[in-house]
């Protein structure tokens, strides 16, 4: 019971954060889902990590409801009719968001909001539309204080999309996280508006829509940090492997590739499938969720995710000190490792992964606050980035293997704000080189991109003073800045 007292007396947590911590404490009072002794040992040694998902998962990690279907049919469970105007539409979204579960307790996917709301623009005046969208964004920030709450816009140019970008630039809130899907048909001036917003706020993400459509089809969304998943589905779980630690227990590169890595990944897939089985068969999530009963999600669209991170350090260890982005042999080794890991994961059965042909999704995990001296996903170590185009060239080669999310971060100095056209050229060039998801920011921005989420500098200062804050992600961001060298990322001029 000491753990309960510790939570109750924690002065850095507010009421809701304590309630969430108590729920986690209760879940973790149960034994971990049943896995082999070998898998358990890999977890104890920090080689496999389940991202603190809890011992007994009772809901999928990420859920992407089909909000389009919600608008078409309404909801009997929520007593919501099909929207008839912009007021109805905004109200309907704000209501359902409260009922979408996830690993964080908040909705990690808010929908392709501009496509959802655009048909109702003619039901209100221009002024009302802007006021309603401003209220909508503020409501989301205040009621869902979690930087993993993620909204999508694009790829079509819309009035609502443009207004959201304009409002976000002025509001400068960390929530919601935001992604712009960019296709070959997305107008340059729409993307440039997004670049202008992003250089002020660190959002939106820029998504290579044409590339992701080849992998997931048109019906996909970006959730939480930058997880690419099917709409009407989601991911049961995300379990990650620390490649740096795998390299440390390998005799050499060949031993790593042929023996150790496949063994660790097999255990990772075992853990993933055990957790998915628990959600479906023991917790009976799909039998109790109204989202499932009303067809807003369907198990046929779900998968699980196998993540990797620490590629940079892994290559350093196995190559005797060569650096990704600077040494051709290191770059080649990096791609071979990713290719090998992808192949092993895809050879395994993914239990209940019906949305991905029975396979587990492959993911570049972007790190958590407790990671020390190990780099996110397949990113180059912060502060050790090569010239911009060398980084893009390498990341483009690596990102093509990840079908459920991968990203890279590019920081510019203030000169970028006066050269939007130049930034557009960089983004288009990155997409041509195979980059699927990328984010940009400026070094003096109030909002800091931590891993995949944003945190305000001023909130971190308040947290360090011990002030309780609405956003639980501020604590994660503060520790990540200390442990993961977030502020050491290379700053580039244009």
């Amino acid at each position: 019971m000491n753990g309960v007292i510790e939570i109750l007396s924690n002065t850095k947590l507010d009421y809701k954060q304590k309630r969430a911590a108590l729920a986690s404490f209760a879940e973790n009072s149960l034994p971990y889902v049943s896995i082999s002794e070998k898998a358990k040992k890999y977890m104890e040694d920090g080689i496999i990590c389940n991202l603190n998902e809890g011992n007994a998962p009772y809901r999928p990690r990420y859920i992407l409801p089909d909000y389009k279907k919600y608008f078409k049919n309404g909801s009997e469970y929520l007593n919501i009719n099909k929207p008839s105007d912009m007021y109805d539409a905004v109200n309907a979204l704000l209501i359902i968001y409260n009922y979408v579960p996830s690993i964080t307790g908040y909705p990690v996917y808010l929908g392709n909001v501009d496509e959802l709301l655009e048909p109702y623009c003619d039901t209100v005046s221009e002024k009302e539309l802007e006021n309603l969208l401003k209220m909508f964004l503020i409501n989301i920030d205040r009621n869902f204080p979690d930087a993993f709450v993620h909204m999508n816009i694009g790829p079509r140019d819309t009035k609502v999309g443009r207004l959201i970008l304009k409002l976000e630039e002025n509001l400068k809130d960390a929530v919601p996280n935001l992604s712009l899907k960019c296709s070959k048909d997305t107008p340059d001036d729409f993307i440039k508006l997004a670049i202008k917003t992003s250089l002020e706020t660190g959002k939106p993400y820029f998504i290579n829509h044409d590339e992701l459509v080849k992998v997931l089809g048109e019906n996909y969304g970006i959730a939480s940090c930058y997880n690419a998943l099917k709409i009407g589905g989601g991911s049961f779980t995300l379990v990650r492997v620390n490649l740096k630690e795998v390299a440390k227990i390998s005799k050499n590169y060949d031993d790593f590739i042929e023996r150790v890595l496949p063994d660790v990944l097999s255990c990772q897939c075992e853990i993933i499938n055990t957790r998915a089985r628990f959600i479906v068969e023991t917790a009976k999530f799909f039998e109790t969720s109204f989202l499932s009963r009303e067809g807003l999600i369907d198990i046929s669209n779900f998968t699980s995710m196998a993540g990797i991170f620490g590629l940079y350090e892994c290559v350093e260890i196995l190559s005797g000190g060569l650096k990704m982005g600077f040494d051709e042999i290191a770059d080649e080794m990096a791609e071979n490792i990713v290719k090998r890991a992808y192949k092993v994961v895809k050879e395994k059965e993914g239990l209940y992964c019906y949305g991905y042909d029975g396979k587990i999704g492959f993911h570049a995990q972007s790190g958590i606050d407790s990671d020390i001296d190990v780099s996110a996903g397949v990113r180059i170590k912060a502060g050790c980035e090569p010239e911009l185009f060398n980084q893009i060239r390498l990341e483009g080669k690596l990102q093509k293997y990840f079908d459920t999310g991968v990203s890279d971060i590019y920081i510019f100095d203030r000169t970028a704000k006066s050269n939007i056209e130049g930034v557009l050229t960089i983004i288009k060039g990155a997409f041509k080189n195979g980059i699927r998801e990328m984010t940009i920011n400026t070094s003096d921005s109030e909002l800091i991109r931590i891993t995949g989420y944003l945190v305000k500098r001023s909130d971190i200062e308040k947290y360090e003073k011990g002030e309780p804050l609405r956003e639980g992600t501020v604590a994660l961001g503060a520790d990540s800045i200390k442990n993961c060298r977030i502020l050491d990322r290379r700053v580039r001029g244009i």
Side-chain angles (χ1 to χ4, degrees):
M1 293 301 289
N2 286 342
V4 173
I5 294 296
E6 279 178 25
I7 294 169
L8 296 179
S9 57
N10 189 331
T11 56
K12 286 191 173 182
L13 299 179
D14 67 14
Y15 162 71
K16 286 189 175 179
Q17 290 160 349
K18 287 182 181 180
R19 190 174 61 180
L22 289 170
S24 295
F25 188 84
E27 182 185 347
N28 290 331
S29 68
L30 295 173
Y32 197 80
V33 292
S34 181
I35 56 175
S36 66
E37 287 302 314
K38 188 198 280 185
K40 204 178 291 180
K41 183 72 167 57
Y42 280 138
M43 289 185 71
E44 288 168 358
D45 292 345
I47 294 169
I48 297 178
C49 164
N50 76 349
L51 295 163
N52 303 315
E53 282 190 358
N55 290 355
Y58 53 93
R59 71 294 196 206
R61 181 180 181 90
Y62 302 132
I63 292 176
L64 288 77
D66 186 342
Y67 296 113
K68 211 170 174 181
K69 187 178 280 186
Y70 172 55
F71 271 19
K72 183 180 174 189
N73 300 331
S75 168
E76 185 180 345
Y77 181 79
L78 298 176
N79 193 19
I80 292 292
N81 295 323
K82 174 183 173 181
S84 59
D85 60 25
M86 185 62 79
Y87 286 93
D88 280 351
V90 168
N91 189 46
L93 285 176
L94 290 175
I95 287 171
I96 194 172
Y97 291 158
N98 277 292
Y99 292 85
V100 179
S102 76
I103 194 66
T104 67
Y106 294 103
V108 294
Y109 176 68
L110 301 178
N112 226 87
V113 168
D114 58 342
E115 290 288 346
L116 287 167
L117 296 180
E118 191 74 7
Y120 304 97
C121 282
D122 292 343
T123 63
V124 291
S125 69
E126 296 285 326
K127 187 62 183 167
E128 280 178 300
L129 177 61
E130 184 164 345
N131 287 344
L132 268 170
L133 290 176
K134 183 177 179 182
M135 176 212 73
F136 179 60
L137 293 171
I138 291 174
N139 191 300
I140 289 168
D141 177 72
R142 306 303 190 270
N143 278 324
F144 308 109
D146 184 276
F148 299 115
V149 172
H150 204 135
M151 177 184 291
N152 292 189
I153 58 174
R156 195 166 66 91
D157 186 2
T158 59
K159 185 188 287 186
V160 171
R162 285 178 178 265
L163 275 171
I164 286 174
L165 290 171
K166 175 187 161 190
L167 290 165
E168 282 292 301
E169 183 182 349
N170 293 327
L171 290 170
K172 292 183 173 56
D173 285 326
V175 182
N177 210 342
L178 183 65
S179 280
L180 171 68
K181 298 176 180 175
C182 304
S183 78
K184 62 181 185 310
D185 299 321
T186 307
D188 282 358
D189 65 333
F190 188 34
I191 301 175
K192 284 197 273 190
L193 182 61
I195 291 170
K196 183 169 177 286
T197 302
S198 197
L199 292 173
E200 289 292 338
T201 65
K203 58 182 174 179
Y205 263 97
F206 294 88
I207 306 300
N208 189 340
H209 178 70
D210 296 324
E211 194 62 31
L212 284 185
V213 165
K214 290 179 196 169
V215 181
L216 298 169
E218 292 277 351
N219 206 31
Y220 77 92
I222 306 298
S224 188
C225 282
Y226 54 83
N227 306 282
L229 294 162
K230 288 190 176 179
I231 293 172
S235 178
F236 295 111
T237 182
L238 168 56
V239 177
R240 63 178 192 159
V241 163
N242 185 339
L243 293 176
K244 176 184 178 183
E245 295 301 319
V246 180
K248 282 163 70 175
I249 61 169
S250 303
K251 293 175 187 168
N252 50 44
Y253 176 70
D254 289 341
D255 186 48
F256 173 91
I257 287 288
E258 298 303 328
R259 186 182 67 85
V260 185
L261 182 63
D263 192 55
V264 172
L265 293 172
S266 293
C267 288
Q268 178 191 33
C269 293
E270 176 203 329
I271 297 166
I272 285 169
N273 285 336
T274 304
R275 296 183 67 80
R277 176 183 284 115
F278 193 94
I279 291 168
V280 176
E281 298 177 11
T282 303
K284 303 183 192 307
F285 174 79
F286 291 93
E287 295 173 38
T288 56
S289 168
F290 85 97
L291 295 169
S292 177
R293 288 198 305 274
E294 297 191 359
L296 303 180
I297 58 170
D298 193 299
I299 196 170
S300 65
N301 292 319
F302 272 78
T303 189
S304 294
M305 297 159 74
I308 59 169
F309 71 112
L311 178 67
Y312 183 90
E313 291 76 14
C314 172
V315 169
E316 238 183 2
I317 292 169
L318 295 174
S319 69
L322 298 181
K323 312 289 184 192
M324 282 170 55
F326 292 93
D327 298 296
E328 207 171 302
I329 294 172
D331 291 355
E332 193 179 318
M333 188 178 278
E335 185 171 4
N336 285 339
I337 291 168
V338 171
K339 194 191 297 183
R340 177 68 168 146
Y342 172 85
K343 186 169 181 292
V344 173
V345 168
K346 292 301 176 183
E347 285 172 350
K348 306 294 180 189
E349 176 199 7
L351 193 61
Y352 295 114
C353 294
Y354 301 133
Y356 289 68
D357 298 324
K359 301 297 178 187
I360 296 168
F362 194 47
H363 181 78
Q365 204 281 325
S366 62
I368 58 175
D369 55 314
S370 57
D371 292 339
I372 299 174
D373 292 330
V374 59
S375 298
V378 295
R379 292 179 194 161
I380 291 170
K381 185 176 181 177
C384 300
E385 296 92 339
E387 292 301 321
L388 179 65
F389 295 106
N390 284 339
Q391 183 174 343
I392 287 173
R393 177 189 51 76
L394 175 59
E395 289 296 323
K397 281 184 182 177
L398 300 177
Q399 288 204 6
K400 66 174 180 282
Y401 294 99
F402 297 94
D403 53 7
T404 50
V406 59
S407 73
D408 204 10
I409 298 172
Y410 298 86
I411 308 294
F412 297 103
D413 64 19
R414 295 180 61 81
T415 59
K417 293 181 181 178
S418 56
N419 192 358
I420 302 291
E421 190 71 37
V423 180
L424 176 66
T425 302
I426 290 169
I427 292 173
K428 286 188 167 185
F431 285 174
K432 278 184 184 170
N433 275 275
I435 295 280
R436 290 183 170 177
E437 302 175 49
M438 65 183 291
T439 183
I440 60 172
N441 202 351
T442 48
S443 52
D444 60 351
S445 173
E446 161 67 1
L447 289 153
I448 304 169
R449 178 70 67 180
I450 302 295
T451 53
Y453 62 96
L454 292 161
V455 170
K456 286 184 180 180
R457 287 178 197 271
S458 52
D459 282 343
I460 288 174
E461 288 169 12
K462 289 177 188 172
Y463 174 78
E464 297 295 353
K465 290 176 186 171
E467 295 180 27
L469 295 166
R470 281 185 296 111
E471 292 171 23
T473 37
V474 174
L476 302 179
D479 289 339
S480 287
I481 286 173
K482 288 177 194 164
N483 296 334
C484 308
R485 305 180 60 186
I486 300 294
L487 300 180
D488 290 346
R489 291 174 182 140
R490 182 170 178 176
V491 179
R492 297 172 166 100
I494 296 184

